[in-house]
Amino acid sequence: MKFNRILLSATLIVVALVVQVSVLARLQLPGAVPDLVLLTVVGLALVYGPVSGSLIGFTAGLLADLAPPADHAAGRYALVLCVIGYLVGLARPENGRLTSATGPMAVVVAAAVGSTLLYAGVGALVGDTAARHVGLGSLLFTAAVYDLLLAPFTVPLIMALARRAENDPLADAGGGNSADVASGWLSSGTGLRIGNQRGGLRVKTARSRASRAGRIKGVKRL
C-alpha cells in the first residue's frame, strides 16, 4: 500500500472509531449500533479495491476489538471486516468512480447485513449467544437502516478523500516529470495541429493553382 493510503486510512479509521465509541454507542438506539467503522471500510474499499480493502478492514476490526468497552474475543470483528473489505473491493469500478448512488447504497446494505450475519456466525462458533437474546432479525433490520441513513453523509466524503489522495501528484516520485511530459505532449499536439493546417492550406493552394492552369490552357486552346 502507498504511504498516502496508509496515512489516510489510519486517520479515517481512528476518527470513525472514536466517534462510534464516544457518540454512536451511547445513543442507546433500539437494536444495533450505527457502524461508522464499517462505513469507513466500505468507502475505502470501493476506491482501493479488494486487497487494500481487506487489509484496511482487518486493521479497523482489530482496533474495534481492542477498543473499550470490548465484550468479545479479540480478532472476531477483525475477521468480519477483513472479509467485508475484500468483498466490497470486488465491487470497485475500474476507474474507482461511481456514477450513481444506487450501487453504493446497495453495497452498504449488503455490508451491514453481511457483517451482522458473519459476526453472529463467528460468535456462535465461539459460544457467544448474545445475538439470540437480542434477536437476529431485529439486528439485521436496524443495522441496515442505521447504516443506510448514515451512509450518504460519510461514504461519499470518504471516497472523495481517498480519490484525492490517490491522485495527489506528490504520491508518485515522478510527479514533476509527469507534469513536464504532459506539457510537452500538449505543445507537441498543438504543433501537429498547426502542421496539419499548414499542410491543408498548401494542398488547397496547389489545387487552386492547378485549376487556374487548366482554365488558362482551355482558354488558349479555344
Side-chain angles (χ1 to χ4, degrees), residues 140-198:
L140 291 174
F141 177 76
T142 53
V145 171
Y146 295 156
D147 292 345
L148 191 60
L149 293 176
L150 189 60
F153 305 99
T154 55
V155 175
L157 177 61
I158 293 170
M159 294 181 65
L161 292 175
R163 286 197 300 264
R164 184 175 181 180
E166 195 73 1
N167 296 328
D168 189 355
L170 297 179
D172 299 328
N177 296 332
S178 61
D180 296 337
V181 172
S183 61
W185 181 81
L186 290 175
S187 61
S188 64
T190 305
L192 289 175
R193 291 177 182 175
I194 295 175
N196 292 334
Q197 293 175 357
R198 290 177 179 176

Side-chain angles (χ1 to χ4, degrees), residues 1-219:
M1 292 179 65
K2 297 181 180 180
F3 178 74
N4 281 3
R5 291 187 181 185
I6 297 174
L7 182 60
L8 178 64
S9 301
T11 303
L12 292 177
I13 289 171
V14 170
V15 172
L17 185 60
V18 170
V19 173
Q20 181 168 331
V21 172
S22 60
V23 178
L24 298 179
R26 298 183 179 182
L27 295 178
Q28 296 181 353
L29 297 174
V33 176
D35 200 338
L36 186 58
V37 176
L38 173 65
L39 296 178
T40 303
V41 173
V42 168
L44 293 174
L46 284 175
V47 178
Y48 293 150
V51 177
S52 298
S54 61
L55 294 176
I56 294 171
F58 179 81
T59 304
L62 186 60
L63 291 177
D65 288 331
L66 299 176
D71 56 352
H72 56 270
R76 179 177 171 183
Y77 201 46
L79 175 61
V80 172
L81 287 188
C82 180
V83 175
I84 295 297
Y86 181 82
L87 295 178
V88 171
L90 294 177
R92 171 187 179 271
E94 294 182 358
N95 57 358
R97 297 179 181 273
L98 298 171
T99 58
S100 175
T102 305
M105 294 299 102
V107 171
V108 168
V109 174
V113 174
S115 62
T116 304
L117 289 175
L118 286 175
Y119 188 83
V122 175
L125 292 176
V126 298
D128 186 0
T129 59
R132 296 179 182 178
H133 300 290
V134 178
L136 184 59
S138 176
L139 286 177
L140 291 174
F141 177 76
T142 53
V145 171
Y146 295 156
D147 292 345
L148 191 60
L149 293 176
L150 189 60
F153 305 99
T154 55
V155 175
L157 177 61
I158 293 170
M159 294 181 65
L161 292 175
R163 286 197 300 264
R164 184 175 181 180
E166 195 73 1
N167 296 328
D168 189 355
L170 297 179
D172 299 328
N177 296 332
S178 61
D180 296 337
V181 172
S183 61
W185 181 81
L186 290 175
S187 61
S188 64
T190 305
L192 289 175
R193 291 177 182 175
I194 295 175
N196 292 334
Q197 293 175 357
R198 290 177 179 176
L201 291 175
R202 289 176 182 176
V203 171
K204 290 181 180 179
T205 304
R207 290 179 179 177
S208 62
R209 289 179 180 176
S211 61
R212 288 178 183 177
R215 291 176 182 176
I216 294 173
K217 291 181 180 179
V219 172

